[in-house]
Structures are given as structure tokens and as C-alpha cells.
Amino acid sequence: MTKRNPHFSALKPTYLFPEINQRKLQYLAQHPTAKLISLGIGDTTEPIPSTITHGLVDGAARLGTKEGYTGYGQEQGQSLLREKIAENIYHNRVSPQEVFISDGAKCDIGRLQALFGGDVSIAVQDPAYPVYVDGSLMHGVKQIHYMPCTPENHFFPTLKTTPPVNLIYFCSPNNPTGAVATHDQLKKLVQFAKIHQSIIIFDSAYAHYIQDPTLPRSIYEIEGAHEVAIEMGSFSKIAGFTGVRLGWTVVPEKLLFEDGTPVIRDWMRLFTTIFNGASNIAQQGGIAALSTQGFDEMQQLTQFYLENARLIVEGLKHFPLEIYGGTNAPYVWIRFPGQKSWDVFQMLLENVQIVTTPGSGFGPAGEGFVRLSAFGHRENVLEAIQRLQKLF
């Protein structure tokens, strides 16, 4: 009889977001007429902007012609898209050869974990996106150090108490807290990685939401980061591609393993072995998104969700609540002292029919918090604010 992968026994029975959906369905089964408003999962709700939609349509239409049909594409991604990401996203701080196009940042996190295997130690922001830990556990990682990021340390880890590790997972703007690391903070992180010969896995999926020009959008704005960091980006939250699936990972040529082997060499080998490349149609949408008009439309979409976040913060700030985030990020992080996150989740579900995300699902330091997502139709966000105001 086939044995189960023993590493799966280290996981919780369910992943965070299916658990939320299950509780939501259970509530609806008991209250079928309830009008739930979801401020929980970070899924986009507004239509894909027109220029980007036309790019997707044109990409699909071309496949229906003899001249425009393409089969397998380059595993690393279309050259034009890689060039546009290097130029428009990174302002040529990276080369197109260092950019790998994928079906999303979440998928690349899993592939990166396969690259490094289970015999590594990791440090992860706490709270943070659950995939960092769960994916590592699936690969057999046993040495996991949680770096608490709380209001008390301004949501940046105390590196003096962080032990030397092989990999450091870091997300800015952070999901779920909405905190954005400053240049000085990222300099400290890069310096820590250099001293301990660690590799930073830098998740910049929400970087486009950073509107403050004094804050870094990329780890590569920090001197020396090319020698210690891999960065992932995504079209999901900036172009509405959560269902289209398109992202990228930057692996600098200067980044080396302990034996001197360039990490990009092994990443290329893994990438071209288990992945046949992102959808040709999705990549045409990505190219359109990075045109002048497409970029402007993405900024408008970003501003819409940021306005949702601002409305949530403004609508609740006069109540006795500890509110964080909501600026330069699409998430609002609220503390409920002395209460369990799942209890608060259930209370909000039952009393005002609002679905949130319990902070404990993002790590031990998330206990006592809930996350509100700004991804939603404006009318639903406004109604959710009114419901919350009546409760508090």
C-alpha cells in the first residue's frame, strides 16, 4: 500500500481560506436569506481595464489564425513582456534575462521551495501569507523561525533576536498587516542576509499600491540586494488577473549558492523541467498592461481599491479600535485585545453578516487581530462600514 507523504502530517487539516469559505457556507445554510458582505479573501472584484482586456482578446484572436497561432512558448516567458517588466516595473535595476514569467506569485513560491528542498532553515514574518510556512512544511522543512511583526516593533522584525537561517520570507506591503518596509529597514534586512549568507524571498505582490515615493517598491532599490534576494511580483491585484494567472520572479545573476553555483542556473533547470510557461493569452494581457495606457488604467484600478481602504479606516477610526494598514496597501488590520481571532470572525459573521479573515491564520502574532480586505464593490464596502459602525 502506498505510504502518505509524512510531511503532510505537519499541516493543519485545512488551509485558511477554504476554512473561511466552509464557515461562510455553514452560516448561509442556516440563514439562506442573509446578505453576506465579504471583506475576507483578497480577491479582486472590478472589471479588468479595457486596454488590458483588448490585449487578452487580441491574444486569443491571433491563435485562431494561421499566421498568429503559437504553440509552446518560451518557458521563461515572452521576451517583450520580460523587457517591459525590467523597464517599467524595475526601471532597469534588473535585466530581462533575470525575469521569469509564471502563472502567479503563489505558484512560484511553491517552485522556489522545491528548488531549495527541505534541508534548510527559514525565517518568516509573523503574521504573513500562510503559503510561506505551509509550502515549506510540505517539502519537509523543520527549522522555522517566526519573526513577530507587531505594532510594538512597528511591524518590522527584531533582527537581533533572529537566528541565522538559509531563507528569509519577507512581504512588503505585508499581507495581512498592510505595513510597508522603509529603505532603512530593508537595508538592515539585506545586511542581515549578507552577514549570515541567507537568501531573501521577497514578495512584492502589492508593491503597486505603494503611493508614497519615499517607500521602496522593490528590494532591488537597496544596494547589495542583487547578491542576496529573489523577488516575486504579480498582475493579480494590479490588473485584476486573480483568475487569469500571470506573475513573475526575478533571480539575479549575482545570487550564488554556497558552492558558487548561480541560483539562476538551477532555477532555469527547475523552471523549464516542471513548467511549460505562462499562457500566451495571459502574457499578451500583461504586455498590454505595461503599455502607457494600460499602466495608467492599472493605477486607476489601484486607486479604487486604495480608496476603499481609506473609507474603511476613516469609517472606523472614531471607534475604540486599534487600526493599522489601509495606506499604501489594500488591507486593514484591526486588533481586538483579549479576544481570539476566530471568535471575532464568528461574531462579525453572525452579528453583521461580514466575512473577514482571522489574524491567527497568518501566524501566532496574528492572534487577536482580523484582516479586512479593500477588494470589493464600492457599494458593498460602504454598507459594510455602516454595519460595523452600528456594532461598535
Side-chain angles (χ1 to χ4, degrees):
M1 193 170 185
T2 304
K3 293 183 179 179
R4 181 191 185 203
N5 181 338
H7 303 314
F8 276 67
S9 63
L11 298 171
K12 296 178 181 178
T14 59
Y15 183 55
L16 174 61
F17 296 106
E19 172 69 15
I20 291 173
N21 190 57
Q22 183 179 354
R23 292 190 181 215
K24 181 177 74 172
L25 293 176
Q26 288 174 347
Y27 181 82
L28 285 174
Q30 298 171 358
H31 307 85
T33 61
K35 182 187 175 184
L36 296 185
I37 297 177
S38 178
L39 298 182
I41 187 170
D43 192 6
T44 50
T45 57
E46 304 310 297
I48 294 174
S50 61
T51 298
I52 304 171
T53 300
H54 289 150
L56 293 167
V57 171
D58 290 345
R62 269 190 235 134
L63 296 179
T65 67
K66 187 174 182 179
E67 298 77 21
Y69 176 76
T70 54
Y72 291 124
Q74 299 172 326
E75 286 100 336
Q76 194 176 342
Q78 294 182 22
S79 297
L80 179 57
L81 180 55
R82 290 158 54 203
E83 290 168 4
K84 282 184 172 291
I85 288 173
E87 180 180 359
N88 296 352
I89 301 294
Y90 292 100
H91 306 291
N92 296 316
R93 291 188 180 93
V94 304
S95 73
Q97 291 72 33
E98 296 172 316
V99 178
F100 292 75
I101 308 301
S102 73
D103 49 350
K106 184 176 184 178
C107 303
D108 271 353
I109 291 169
R111 285 186 277 263
L112 280 168
Q113 289 164 335
L115 176 69
F116 295 108
D119 191 23
V120 293
S121 56
I122 73 169
V124 60
Q125 281 170 298
D126 177 20
Y129 191 36
V131 174
Y132 306 151
V133 171
D134 284 3
S136 297
L137 290 172
M138 288 179 181
H139 286 283
V141 175
K142 293 181 174 58
Q143 299 182 59
I144 300 177
H145 178 80
Y146 290 89
M147 303 185 294
C149 296
T150 65
E152 288 69 33
N153 62 7
H154 306 288
F155 297 104
F156 187 78
T158 306
L159 296 176
K160 291 181 180 179
T161 61
T162 301
V165 291
N166 301 120
L167 304 175
I168 303 168
Y169 285 90
F170 199 91
C171 178
S172 181
N174 177 265
N175 176 14
T177 68
V180 182
T182 66
H183 279 91
D184 286 342
Q185 288 172 332
L186 290 185
K187 285 178 183 178
K188 293 176 181 177
L189 186 65
V190 168
Q191 184 179 25
F192 179 90
K194 280 178 170 289
I195 291 171
H196 298 295
Q197 297 182 313
S198 307
I199 292 178
I200 300 167
I201 310 296
F202 192 82
D203 186 347
S204 66
Y206 299 96
H208 199 73
Y209 285 83
I210 300 175
Q211 304 298 295
D212 184 342
T214 68
L215 295 172
R217 286 189 172 189
S218 168
I219 190 71
Y220 301 122
E221 295 181 37
I222 308 304
E223 184 178 356
H226 292 77
E227 300 166 12
V228 295
I230 294 170
E231 180 167 309
M232 294 162 296
S234 172
F235 286 94
S236 287
K237 305 299 169 40
I238 60 175
F241 274 25
T242 52
V244 176
R245 308 307 305 151
L246 190 68
W248 68 87
T249 290
V250 177
V251 183
E253 294 176 345
K254 292 182 179 180
L255 183 64
L256 307 176
F257 284 111
E258 183 182 42
D259 65 358
T261 301
V263 174
I264 193 172
R265 184 188 302 174
D266 283 3
W267 177 242
M268 176 73 82
R269 182 68 171 85
L270 182 147
F271 204 73
T272 56
T273 300
I274 66 172
F275 183 56
N276 274 337
S279 158
N280 293 335
I281 299 172
Q283 291 189 69
Q284 288 302 125
I287 291 170
L290 294 177
S291 67
T292 300
Q293 183 64 29
F295 209 85
D296 288 343
E297 291 176 0
M298 283 200 299
Q299 182 64 13
Q300 292 172 24
L301 188 61
T302 299
Q303 290 294 339
F304 176 86
Y305 292 125
L306 283 173
E307 176 64 9
N308 280 351
R310 188 194 70 79
L311 288 169
I312 294 171
V313 173
E314 286 293 315
L316 299 179
K317 72 177 185 179
H318 299 298
F319 295 86
L321 297 169
E322 289 185 45
I323 302 174
Y324 305 95
T327 305
N328 297 305
Y331 296 122
V332 179
W333 189 239
I334 303 179
R335 177 185 259 169
F336 290 82
Q339 299 187 58
K340 297 290 187 182
S341 294
W342 277 109
D343 291 343
V344 177
F345 168 90
Q346 202 66 33
M347 180 269 291
L348 294 174
L349 177 62
E350 294 176 0
N351 291 351
V352 289
Q353 291 75 54
I354 293 176
V355 179
T356 58
T357 306
S360 59
F362 297 99
E367 185 61 271
F369 291 83
V370 296
R371 188 193 74 178
L372 303 185
S373 168
F375 295 112
H377 299 307
R378 180 63 50 78
E379 61 270 21
N380 289 341
V381 170
L382 292 174
E383 183 175 343
I385 294 168
Q386 291 179 350
R387 293 185 189 181
L388 289 168
Q389 287 174 338
K390 291 178 181 178
L391 178 65
F392 299 126

